[in-house]
Amino acid sequence: MYQPDQPTPPTPAPRRRGCLGRVFIGGILLLAVIVFAGILIAGTLIYANFSGEIEAGITKLDDARNRETFETTIITDRNGQKLWEIFGEGKRTAITLQQIPSYLLQATVSVEDDTFYENIGLDAPSLVAALIANLRNQDERPVGGSTITQQLVRHIVFDYEERTAVSYNRKTKEIIFAWVMTRNYSKEEILQMYLNEIYYGNLAYGVEAASQTYFGKPAADLSLAEATLLTGLPQSPVDLDPFTNFEAAKERQWLVLNLMAGEGYITQEQVLATYQEPLSFAQQSVSLAAPHFAVYVRQLLEDQFGAEMVANGGLRVTTTLDLAYQSLAEQLARRHVAAVGPEHNLTNAALIALKPGTGEILAMLGSVDYHDDAIDGRVNVTLSPQQPGSSIKPLTYAAALSPVDGGKPAWTAADILWDVPVEYGQVDGSSYEPVNYDGRFHGPVRLRTALANSYNIPAVLTLQDVGLPRYIEFARQMGISSWQDDPSRYGLSLTLGGGEVTPLELASAYAVFANNGQKVPPVAILRVEKSNGEVLYEYQPPAAEQALDPRVAYLISDILDDDAARVPAMGRDNPLDLPFAAAAKTGTTNDFRDNWTMGYTPGLVVGVWTGNTDNSEMLHISGLTGAAPLWHDFMLAVYGDAALQQSLLVNGAAPTSEFVPPSGLEKRPLCALSSITIGATDCTQSGSEWFLTESLAADDTPAAPDVVQWQQVEPAVWRMTAVPLPPVPIEVADVDAPPSQLFCQFVEGTAVATLPPDAQPQLFLAAPRNEQSLKGAHEWAQANNIAIVPTTPCNEELLALARDPNAPAIWRIVTPRNGEAVSGVLPIVGTADFDTAVVQFYKIELGIPDGNNVNWVTLGETHNTPVVNGTLEMLHADGLPPGVYYLRLIVVKDSNYVGEPYTIEITIQPS
């Protein structure tokens, strides 16, 4: 608002009657009768020549009450706060006389038509005065002398060309139409139509639009000073524009005030006081709060009602947005981007917030500054496809956990995924080798741990098992519509963010998790009506679609809300850790181009994206540091403000504060994976996990007492009878194959009588389900003394190779592998298991080639303590010249070798 300086009051204007006053009233009235008679004659002649036009004009007058005029469309938030005023030709909002102050009505009548309530549509004295003035000044523009009714008729009946033409024929038709209108409409109806029709300048048509344009308030709230200034503008809106010619507008106001005093509406004292009252004008900028959302709503409206109706139809649009949520998002996003600082080259942020139970969008922040072209601020990132990074992984695991065709789910949250090196051949001959964000491998990890810590390799393994066609269809059911139908367009990296999605559709998919598996499409518009109250559209929530098993939805929520489970990757007190139940997942794309955090409570879904709209790289910043703090602050602010939480109510009820497990889930204890070592017959209990009840179904029929039994202790752990195998001789070992398995297994139901003496039941971890991980899993297991379920069935040949119960030892080297290139300092891992009462010691020897001979030297000391899948000795390769060497493991009894040494070849590389 601004206040211009007030000019000095002019000399008081005289009271008048019509345009000539009352001095020559008698003569003028006589002349008026003569002129009126002439008009009637002229009208008769005009009607004879233009009867079609006259009848068409009368028809328009008959329909004036229901006449469609352009009106401003107003978009508001859910609480009625204006977001945007859309107009085409101009701004107009129709109101009734009851919404207009009486002094504005009096001012209008005083200055425009002081005989309005008595005349028949024309003011004869004024008309004569105008005629005399025009005869005296034939070279100048004619003077009008029109009544309020004539001015209104001009707008209703004539098109723009005829309305602005200088023509006595048009003037005569105008008078005839004004007379007709006065016969058919009350004075109140005419005045109301006039005040909603007349132009006040600055694209404001009608008094309500003028009041909002000039003073930023409804016409009902105008003061006398404001009303009288506006009333003077229609005579010449451009010349009297108070923004550009304030003195002229004030001079016109002075005239209006004095005419009101002359009519007895106000006193002369009020004239001066009102004139001198300071005026505060509204800033002249188009109101556009929540600009990205408002533009999005306009697009939706145009799709439904057409662009013309939106621009000129006077729609009143109530949206789902809560301006308080929007303002909070804008404030926190700007603060966050500023706090990150230029050193990370992060310039923009976007945020979407919606109610999962209804799909109502509460906030849509498309950028930190809509008007900043340097960051492409007008681009609505919440509607722009971006690579989601790891924030898409919950959908992968949800697909894996979901029952297929009413059967058992393929995976449980307790199943293990082998986070070991894996390689996939590509069509072009290259290979795809996924890596984790931390660059490390974590061995066997449960599905819960893999998702909570966002490990990449387990996610790829899971998608490989689910299959791309099923996954794409599953994502579509969850609300992801950006992906193409053809699975060949994608690879396994789709689960790492290889397919673009918009933040809005990803938030909608997360809403399915928050809403117990039910999908409700996002909605932005609650109600559309005309300015007269006619309802054109009202949102009726569709029946929710059960897109996901509610138990799987709960499992995903429980994992994403498991603060303890994600500590290994994200540490304690990270931004995802809130003091109330909240599930969250971060995402970071390759080269740091996108940071994401998607998260939710049972009542609110919030998605955050940060980055650069031009897709340029950020520097060393992830979803956890680049997006999660903004998500964290927004969530805390909402749940720390009771007023904001009111918008989360659904049918007057607050959503639950916790994720509640549905029926059909059962919690079972789990084994510590680290306790499943070679030879272990019992595990150490560590934690528990939720299971879909059908995944627990098993055949409880007891096996015969004389046959081998397999027992699934829990999804990742089996107890079975197996036989230890001897080392595979080097001459028959395959360097590229998985390391030789330590055990062969007896097929369930094998007769006990066939078991060798050293067969024993023990615990094993489940092996990888994909063949690409077998080699890496066995290497990891043997290096860490972990037993994997053997896949090799025991047969007569293997049993013959198994060591004799009376044999004194078993020995092998596991790593380095035969033919492996090594450098630095590394352990030599393997087994030297023997009876200390029989065997004296074992030792590792290094073979140094010398022509056709090999010179052997002992590494370290001899050892008289058995080792099972542990460190046998240390190799200091960094102290040896590069080249080919040999390692051999020797077990000694009575100063002689026990069998042949276990020998491998290695290549030492420069450190």
Side-chain angles (χ1 to χ4, degrees):
M1 306 293 282
Y2 70 95
Q3 294 182 340
D5 295 332
Q6 301 293 320
T8 304
T11 302
R15 184 177 179 181
R16 53 95 173 173
R17 179 76 183 177
C19 291
L20 296 180
R22 294 170 169 74
V23 179
F24 304 104
I25 192 67
I28 293 298
L29 285 174
L30 178 61
L31 185 58
V33 171
I34 298 172
V35 170
F36 185 62
I39 290 173
L40 291 177
I41 295 171
T44 302
L45 295 174
I46 288 174
Y47 184 81
N49 294 315
F50 301 99
S51 60
E53 292 183 33
I54 297 296
E55 290 175 1
I58 292 174
T59 300
K60 289 181 180 180
L61 291 179
D62 289 341
D63 295 335
R65 289 187 182 90
N66 303 316
R67 173 172 168 259
E68 292 285 344
T69 60
F70 75 83
E71 281 192 60
T72 303
T73 288
I74 298 175
I75 300 174
T76 69
D77 83 337
R78 64 192 304 116
N79 300 311
Q81 296 191 65
K82 186 165 71 175
L83 303 179
W84 194 11
E85 187 175 11
I86 302 173
F87 51 87
E89 297 179 43
K91 296 174 284 186
R92 174 184 284 130
T93 300
I95 57 176
T96 65
L97 288 186
Q98 289 70 36
Q99 295 171 277
I100 302 173
S102 58
Y103 41 76
L104 191 149
L105 305 179
Q106 295 163 354
T108 301
V109 170
S110 297
V111 73
E112 294 293 341
D113 184 1
D114 63 348
T115 66
F116 171 71
Y117 288 106
E118 296 87 27
N119 65 46
I120 58 172
L122 72 153
D123 183 349
S126 296
L127 190 62
V128 170
L131 178 63
I132 293 173
N134 291 335
L135 292 173
R136 288 178 176 176
N137 305 288
Q138 295 185 22
D139 295 332
E140 297 180 10
R141 182 174 178 84
V143 176
S146 298
T147 64
I148 285 176
T149 310
Q150 287 175 262
Q151 294 178 55
L152 178 59
V153 162
R154 198 179 305 153
H155 283 82
I156 293 176
V157 176
F158 304 133
D159 59 24
Y160 180 79
E161 269 187 30
E162 189 171 9
R163 184 163 64 241
T164 56
V166 178
S167 162
Y168 285 108
N169 281 342
R170 190 221 70 198
K171 192 70 175 179
T172 303
K173 287 189 286 184
E174 178 185 296
I175 291 171
I176 293 171
F177 290 139
W179 176 72
V180 171
M181 191 169 199
T182 303
R183 287 170 54 91
N184 295 340
Y185 292 90
S186 69
K187 292 293 184 178
E188 288 72 20
E189 288 178 305
I190 293 172
L191 186 58
Q192 178 174 301
M193 282 189 275
Y194 173 83
L195 288 171
N196 282 318
E197 183 77 28
I198 205 69
Y199 183 54
Y200 287 82
N202 285 288
L203 298 179
Y205 289 81
V207 68
E208 177 69 10
S211 180
Q212 294 285 359
T213 298
Y214 291 104
F215 297 110
K217 63 175 68 174
D221 297 338
L222 289 171
S223 67
L224 177 61
E226 293 164 341
T228 52
L229 184 95
L230 288 184
T231 302
L233 303 183
Q235 184 196 49
S236 183
V238 175
D239 295 335
L240 299 175
D241 185 347
F243 296 137
T244 59
N245 194 354
F246 183 63
E247 289 191 0
K250 287 295 289 184
E251 185 174 343
R252 180 71 173 170
Q253 181 196 30
W254 177 254
L255 173 64
V256 172
L257 288 167
N258 278 279
L259 290 175
M260 289 181 72
E263 296 294 335
Y265 294 130
I266 59 175
T267 66
Q268 200 61 48
E269 289 75 15
Q270 286 179 288
V271 171
L272 184 60
T274 303
Y275 179 83
Q276 292 177 333
E277 183 178 318
L279 294 172
S280 296
F281 290 99
Q283 294 293 336
Q284 292 307 288
S285 60
V286 176
S287 172
L288 187 56
H292 296 98
F293 177 77
V295 170
Y296 171 59
V297 168
R298 178 172 186 166
Q299 293 168 344
L300 296 177
L301 291 169
E302 289 179 349
D303 289 343
Q304 186 171 358
F305 299 105
E308 175 63 25
M309 172 66 86
V310 174
N312 298 310
L315 303 180
R316 300 296 176 265
V317 184
T318 303
T319 69
T320 61
L321 189 107
D322 188 322
L323 201 51
Y325 276 72
Q326 183 72 20
S327 299
L328 176 65
E330 292 171 357
Q331 171 194 346
L332 293 178
R334 293 191 183 106
R335 188 174 73 187
H336 174 70
V337 170
V340 168
E343 61 269 23
H344 293 291
N345 191 37
L346 187 160
T347 63
N348 204 1
L351 183 149
I352 185 78
L354 53 82
K355 296 169 65 173
T358 64
E360 296 170 38
I361 299 171
L362 296 175
M364 177 184 276
L365 179 67
S367 72
V368 291
D369 189 347
Y370 182 80
H371 302 289
D372 187 351
D373 292 334
I375 63 168
D376 296 321
R378 294 178 186 271
V379 174
N380 187 347
V381 176
T382 68
L383 301 178
S384 303
Q386 312 288 334
Q387 288 199 344
S390 294
S391 63
I392 200 69
K393 287 176 183 172
L395 275 70
T396 305
Y397 289 105
L401 291 167
S402 296
V404 180
D405 298 328
K408 293 182 181 180
W411 293 81
T412 74
D415 280 319
I416 61 169
L417 294 140
W418 284 87
D419 186 5
V420 294
V422 63
E423 180 178 340
Y424 297 93
Q426 304 297 295
V427 176
D428 61 2
S430 63
S431 63
Y432 171 54
E433 301 177 41
V435 296
N436 291 318
Y437 182 79
D438 61 6
R440 300 166 53 207
F441 302 102
H442 307 92
V445 295
R446 296 194 187 273
L447 186 148
R448 172 179 289 268
T449 302
L451 173 55
N453 291 278
S454 196
Y455 296 147
N456 289 340
I457 295 171
V460 171
L461 302 180
T462 305
L463 179 54
Q464 180 185 3
D465 190 72
V466 169
L468 278 167
R470 180 186 163 213
Y471 181 51
I472 291 172
E473 178 57 31
F474 176 85
R476 182 174 292 105
Q477 292 173 4
M478 293 285 289
I480 302 298
S481 58
S482 294
W483 293 349
Q484 301 292 323
D485 292 334
D486 184 3
S488 66
R489 297 175 60 92
Y490 304 100
L492 294 177
S493 63
L494 188 61
T495 187
L496 306 182
E500 293 182 335
V501 298
T502 71
L504 176 58
E505 65 183 326
L506 189 54
S508 300
Y510 271 67
V512 176
F513 297 136
N515 197 35
N516 302 311
Q518 293 188 325
K519 181 175 71 174
V520 180
V523 60
I525 300 172
L526 293 176
R527 184 181 177 91
V528 179
E529 58 185 58
K530 288 188 172 183
S531 60
N532 63 4
E534 178 188 351
V535 177
L536 302 179
Y537 165 82
E538 188 155 16
Y539 175 64
Q540 299 295 332
E545 174 188 350
Q546 195 69 50
L548 181 67
D549 189 307
R551 299 169 299 173
V552 176
Y554 173 77
L555 275 173
I556 295 295
S557 299
D558 190 56
I559 294 171
L560 298 183
D561 187 28
D562 192 341
D563 296 318
R566 55 175 162 247
V567 167
M570 303 183 186
R572 299 190 182 278
D573 300 323
N574 60 74
L576 305 184
D577 190 353
L578 295 178
F580 46 83
K585 182 72 190 72
T586 60
T588 307
T589 57
N590 291 340
D591 303 320
F592 303 102
R593 297 182 190 276
D594 305 89
N595 289 168
W596 293 71
T597 296
M598 304 296 299
Y600 56 92
T601 66
L604 176 64
V605 178
V606 176
V608 170
W609 171 94
T610 61
N612 300 303
T613 315
D614 63 3
N615 204 34
S616 60
E617 297 178 18
M618 295 173 285
L619 302 175
H620 310 298
I621 193 167
S622 69
L624 187 63
T625 54
L630 174 54
W631 177 86
H632 173 275
D633 292 348
F634 187 87
M635 280 291 198
L636 279 184
V638 169
Y639 281 94
D641 188 328
L644 289 177
Q645 292 180 56
Q646 288 297 305
S647 287
L648 302 182
L649 301 182
V650 177
N651 297 324
T656 61
S657 59
E658 301 285 340
F659 298 110
V660 180
S663 59
L665 285 173
E666 185 176 333
K667 210 165 201 179
R668 292 283 184 89
L670 298 178
C671 292
L673 297 183
S674 60
S675 69
I676 314 303
T677 55
I678 292 175
T681 57
D682 288 299
C683 74
T684 302
Q685 186 174 328
S686 177
S688 58
E689 186 55 86
W690 290 102
F691 295 89
L692 277 64
T693 50
E694 57 263 38
S695 68
L696 299 172
D699 183 6
D700 296 327
T701 304
D706 59 343
V707 298
V708 172
Q709 296 185 52
W710 288 8
Q711 177 190 6
Q712 188 173 19
V713 179
E714 50 113 315
V717 179
W718 288 82
R719 178 180 285 110
M720 64 177 61
T721 302
V723 176
L725 296 177
V728 176
I730 185 171
E731 59 268 20
V732 299
D734 182 354
V735 173
D736 295 324
S740 59
Q741 296 191 34
L742 303 180
F743 299 87
C744 66
Q745 54 133 315
F746 282 90
V747 177
E748 187 173 14
T750 302
V752 175
T754 65
L755 295 181
D758 57 352
Q760 58 179 335
Q762 60 178 295
L763 300 182
F764 295 91
L765 279 185
R769 302 187 187 187
N770 63 313
E771 61 177 341
Q772 293 87 351
S773 296
L774 284 172
K775 180 181 179 181
H778 281 284
E779 290 173 351
W780 178 281
Q782 293 185 20
N784 291 274
N785 196 33
I786 292 175
I788 298 181
V789 169
T791 57
T792 303
C794 293
N795 54 40
E796 292 301 324
E797 182 179 359
L798 287 175
L799 292 177
L801 291 173
R803 68 183 176 90
D804 189 296
N806 297 317
I810 182 169
W811 61 99
R812 66 167 61 84
I813 295 174
V814 176
T815 57
R817 302 189 305 275
N818 186 45
E820 185 175 355
V822 299
S823 62
V825 179
L826 66 154
I828 301 171
V829 177
T831 294
D833 190 12
F834 50 83
D835 184 348
T836 56
V838 178
V839 172
Q840 293 171 281
F841 61 85
Y842 78 85
K843 65 178 179 178
I844 296 288
E845 289 186 341
L846 176 70
I848 304 171
D850 182 11
N852 293 327
N853 299 316
V854 176
N855 297 323
W856 294 95
V857 296
T858 299
L859 292 180
E861 305 290 337
T862 60
H863 303 274
N864 57 14
T865 303
V867 173
V868 177
N869 277 312
T871 299
L872 299 169
E873 191 58 77
M874 299 298 294
L875 173 62
H876 291 266
D878 56 351
L880 296 170
V884 175
Y885 293 83
Y886 299 92
L887 291 174
R888 70 182 184 185
L889 170 60
I890 299 171
V891 179
V892 178
K893 170 191 176 187
D894 297 331
S895 300
N896 293 311
Y897 294 171
V898 177
E900 290 295 321
Y902 190 100
T903 305
I904 65 171
E905 178 185 299
I906 61 172
T907 300
I908 293 180
Q909 295 180 325
S911 299

